[in-house]
Amino acid sequence: METIRLGQDGPAVTPLCIGTWAWGDKLFWNYGGDYDANQLREAFNAAVEVGTTFFDTAEVYGLGQSEEFLAQFMQQTTQPVQIATKFGPFPWRFTGQSVSAALTDSLKRLQLEKVTLYQVHWPFTFLLSQETLMNTLAEEVQRGRIEAIGVSNYSAAQMREAHDLLAKRGVRLAVNQVRYSLITRQIETNGILDTARELGVTILAYSPLAQGLLTGKYSVDNSATPTGARRIDPRFSKDGLRKIEPVLSLLREIGAKRDRTPAQVALNWLIAQGNVIPIAGAKTAAQVKQNAGALGWKLSEDEFKQLDLASRSWR
């Protein structure tokens, strides 16, 4: 399995990350209804088996249950697994000590002494200054409890500020985790992608399949409906699906030539950008295996350009 480095000098990870937002989440993903812990265990085992051993979670996913599931499953394998988790800067967290305490709690749930990547979940930190936050994270790197520091949903300017604050402590910002897919390409025009490349920051792309829209499962012509909160997302309406049909049609066309699924083509398009790691959410072993099919091959330059043109209106 190829690897990609997080930032300029961070740890090397697999070029596809497994997203675990749905692991324990009942509100958005209907955990306990459509799937259960047994399926999540099978998904974890399938990921390890195919070599995609980089997992992204957060303290708020399933109110800590996602981290706890990962701990349980990691105990049952001898394969090395790399974990990225996230700190939520809630209003009641306004000191450096509160940041360290949140990391301690995540490490306890994960049953780990350190995490590969620790990310700030959103840029709005209320009474906690960015300087205090970044200084504390830099101290945790020096303590050995964090291998690399990331941010999430930070604008270009906010990312640059975090980078500069960490640089004063001799630590590099490794990651900005943002929404990025063929039909959510705003980071290409709002400065985030260009600034990340300038600073040597890796993009972790969440919702790389637009919460299932780019899998081909949902279309104007079939009756499949999403579960949970996606039911009220206008993108899944007939009009929304009609709008993205040209992109889906091209994904199917390229996939048919290469014996790949639309989802695999969509994920490969992101990987082909360079310095971009898609986070593909998975609730079942079948989804993990299907997402892993995005690896081990590369779109041609012409195919890449066709997809770029077909989806340019989403920039």
Side-chain angles (χ1 to χ4, degrees), residues 198-268:
E198 176 197 338
L199 300 176
V201 172
T202 300
I203 293 293
L204 276 190
Y206 71 80
S207 293
L209 298 176
Q211 294 175 357
L213 279 167
L214 296 175
T215 63
K217 179 179 179 180
Y218 308 102
S219 71
V220 176
D221 300 325
N222 68 36
S223 58
T225 56
T227 59
R230 291 181 298 168
R231 287 178 179 273
I232 59 172
D233 187 333
R235 297 180 303 169
F236 288 88
S237 68
K238 293 293 185 186
D239 285 343
L241 292 169
R242 198 171 288 114
K243 185 178 178 183
I244 68 167
E245 180 54 35
V247 178
L248 285 174
S249 178
L250 183 55
L251 288 172
R252 293 189 198 100
E253 179 185 328
I254 294 172
K257 292 177 184 176
R258 292 181 164 273
D259 195 24
R260 303 286 173 176
T261 67
Q264 289 164 352
V265 176
L267 290 172
N268 193 277

Side-chain angles (χ1 to χ4, degrees), residues 3 7 12 20-21 32 45 56-57 64 72-73 78 84 106 113 115 117 138 149 180 191 211 246 276 279 284 298 305:
T3 58
T20 65
W21 176 17
N45 291 338
D56 178 77
T57 185
Q72 291 173 29
F73 305 155
T78 56
S106 278
E113 294 183 359
V115 287
L117 176 67
I149 297 170
Y180 190 27
Q211 294 175 357
V276 174
I279 304 173
T284 66
K298 189 174 181 179
K305 286 180 179 176

Side-chain angles (χ1 to χ4, degrees), residues 32 36 38 129 155 188 194 208 215 229:
D36 58 23
N38 289 328
S129 73
S155 69
E188 297 175 14
D194 288 341
T215 63

Side-chain angles (χ1 to χ4, degrees), residues 2 23 59 66 80-81 114-115 128 159 191 206 215 259 291 297:
E2 294 178 30
W23 293 23
E59 61 174 354
S66 175
V81 171
K114 66 177 179 179
V115 287
L128 175 65
M159 177 173 45
Y206 71 80
T215 63
D259 195 24
N291 292 336
W297 62 282

Side-chain angles (χ1 to χ4, degrees), residues 17 32 91 105 109 183 210 213 216 251-252 273:
C17 183
D105 289 342
R109 284 188 293 269
I183 58 171
L213 279 167
L251 288 172
R252 293 189 198 100
Q273 306 277 346

Side-chain angles (χ1 to χ4, degrees), residues 3-157:
T3 58
I4 180 171
R5 193 163 295 284
L6 297 178
Q8 295 184 52
D9 56 5
V13 298
T14 54
L16 180 68
C17 183
I18 306 296
T20 65
W21 176 17
W23 293 23
D25 181 90
K26 295 180 180 180
L27 179 64
F28 195 93
W29 293 106
N30 198 30
Y31 170 74
D34 304 326
Y35 61 103
D36 58 23
N38 289 328
Q39 286 170 294
L40 297 180
R41 182 180 292 104
E42 290 169 359
F44 176 89
N45 291 338
V48 171
E49 186 179 325
V50 298
T52 49
T53 52
F54 182 35
F55 293 82
D56 178 77
T57 185
E59 61 174 354
V60 297
Y61 292 172
L63 302 178
Q65 198 167 7
S66 175
E67 291 179 327
E68 290 170 353
F69 276 134
L70 280 166
Q72 291 173 29
F73 305 155
M74 283 190 288
Q75 298 304 311
Q76 298 163 13
T77 182
T78 56
Q79 292 290 102
V81 171
Q82 293 170 295
I83 301 295
T85 192
K86 305 181 199 72
F87 162 80
F90 296 108
W92 56 86
R93 290 174 170 167
F94 51 86
T95 64
Q97 185 179 359
S98 67
V99 179
S100 293
L103 173 60
T104 297
D105 289 342
S106 278
L107 291 172
K108 284 179 179 176
R109 284 188 293 269
L110 289 161
Q111 298 180 40
L112 294 173
E113 294 183 359
K114 66 177 179 179
V115 287
T116 300
L117 176 67
Y118 198 55
Q119 303 155 99
V120 183
H121 210 150
W122 55 84
F124 313 107
T125 55
F126 302 94
L127 299 177
L128 175 65
S129 73
Q130 287 291 324
E131 186 172 8
T132 297
L133 174 56
M134 294 303 155
N135 281 339
T136 304
L137 294 177
E139 288 165 7
E140 291 294 351
V141 169
Q142 289 155 5
R143 286 179 66 185
R145 300 208 299 171
I146 300 171
E147 288 188 62
I149 297 170
V151 293
S152 182
N153 300 304
Y154 273 48
S155 69

